[in-house]
Amino acid sequence: MTFFQCVGIPLFTWLCMRYGNANAYKVAIAMIVVSLVGFRLMTPSMPGLTLCILGGAVALGIARGGTYMIPWNVYVFLPDVDEALTGRRREGIYAGVMMLMRKVCQALAMMVVGFALDFYGYQKGMSSASAETIEGIKLVFIAGPVIMACLAFYGCFRFKLNKENHKILTTELERLRSGGKLEDAAPHTKEVIESLTGYEHKKTWGHNNKPVSSDRQNNMA
């Protein structure tokens, strides 16, 4: 899986460039779900078990390359949305929060898995396990990730920062940085800004309760 994860990174880089981040992420999530469900359906007596396991591992490795790469690809565009809302550039804050949440989620996942395995009777070094323990292990390592993957898949349909919207966003930011007035934005531009920030257009560019840097005060006036 680790090797094919490296293969998945350039593949999903191309998919992001060709079809957009959200659609590429849908492909990665779908591959993960199919792989995990496939592992759940495998039995020791099924023919070609080794090839099935290898195939699932390859697909899961490629998909993991996408799920790791795409969020970082999305991250570089988020400060633009934040600037449209606050009038500030805060890339460092976003990077710090993203790394913190990644570490927190990894730690929580490990803790939950440990408690779950203990609950189902798994003990380190055990040579055999009961049927209940085996089913519990399957539930922990398959059902849990599938549920989280489905939540991520749902989020893809709510993701609105595509190539077209980002181009409109950056064009508007350049206009505002040059001293343009907020109210002079085109109607479609206002719709895009509102969909990306979640705020009414008149409350963007620092016209809200978000802190604004001093070098934006003149442009907001």
Side-chain angles (χ1 to χ4, degrees), residues 111-137:
M111 183 179 68
V112 170
V113 167
F115 284 140
L117 292 178
D118 184 65
F119 175 79
Y120 285 110
Y122 175 80
Q123 298 295 328
K124 181 180 179 180
M126 61 192 309
S127 58
S128 61
S130 65
E132 180 182 358
T133 300
I134 293 175
E135 287 300 315
I137 293 173

Side-chain angles (χ1 to χ4, degrees), residues 21-42:
N21 292 308
N23 290 327
Y25 204 66
K26 291 175 186 177
V27 174
I29 294 299
M31 291 178 65
I32 287 178
V33 172
V34 170
S35 299
L36 292 175
V37 172
F39 282 127
R40 180 63 181 88
L41 297 176
M42 293 179 191

Side-chain angles (χ1 to χ4, degrees), residues 10-21 24 69 73 163:
L11 171 62
F12 280 98
T13 299
W14 177 80
L15 288 174
C16 287
M17 295 174 62
R18 183 68 176 81
Y19 299 104
N21 292 308
M69 185 278 295
N73 188 49
K163 291 182 179 180

Side-chain angles (χ1 to χ4, degrees), residues 43-172:
T43 61
S45 60
M46 68 181 297
L49 178 61
T50 301
L51 290 178
C52 291
I53 293 175
L54 290 175
V58 168
L60 193 57
I62 294 174
R64 287 179 64 190
T67 57
Y68 285 165
M69 185 278 295
I70 295 173
W72 283 107
N73 188 49
V74 171
Y75 154 75
V76 299
F77 302 108
L78 296 183
D80 292 332
V81 179
D82 181 62
E83 184 181 5
L85 178 61
T86 65
R88 303 175 65 192
R89 297 297 302 185
R90 305 191 293 182
E91 292 91 338
I93 293 177
Y94 275 87
V97 170
M98 188 167 182
M99 288 300 299
L100 173 63
M101 293 308 300
R102 181 179 180 183
K103 297 297 184 181
V104 169
C105 290
Q106 287 176 339
L108 287 175
M110 294 297 293
M111 183 179 68
V112 170
V113 167
F115 284 140
L117 292 178
D118 184 65
F119 175 79
Y120 285 110
Y122 175 80
Q123 298 295 328
K124 181 180 179 180
M126 61 192 309
S127 58
S128 61
S130 65
E132 180 182 358
T133 300
I134 293 175
E135 287 300 315
I137 293 173
K138 291 180 180 179
L139 183 66
V140 170
F141 287 101
I142 295 179
V146 167
I147 292 173
M148 299 304 295
C150 290
L151 291 175
F153 195 79
Y154 169 74
C156 293
F157 288 94
R158 298 179 59 83
F159 189 77
K160 301 175 182 179
L161 187 57
N162 53 36
K163 291 182 179 180
E164 292 75 16
N165 286 348
H166 185 254
K167 183 176 181 181
I168 293 173
L169 172 65
T170 54
T171 301
E172 177 65 5

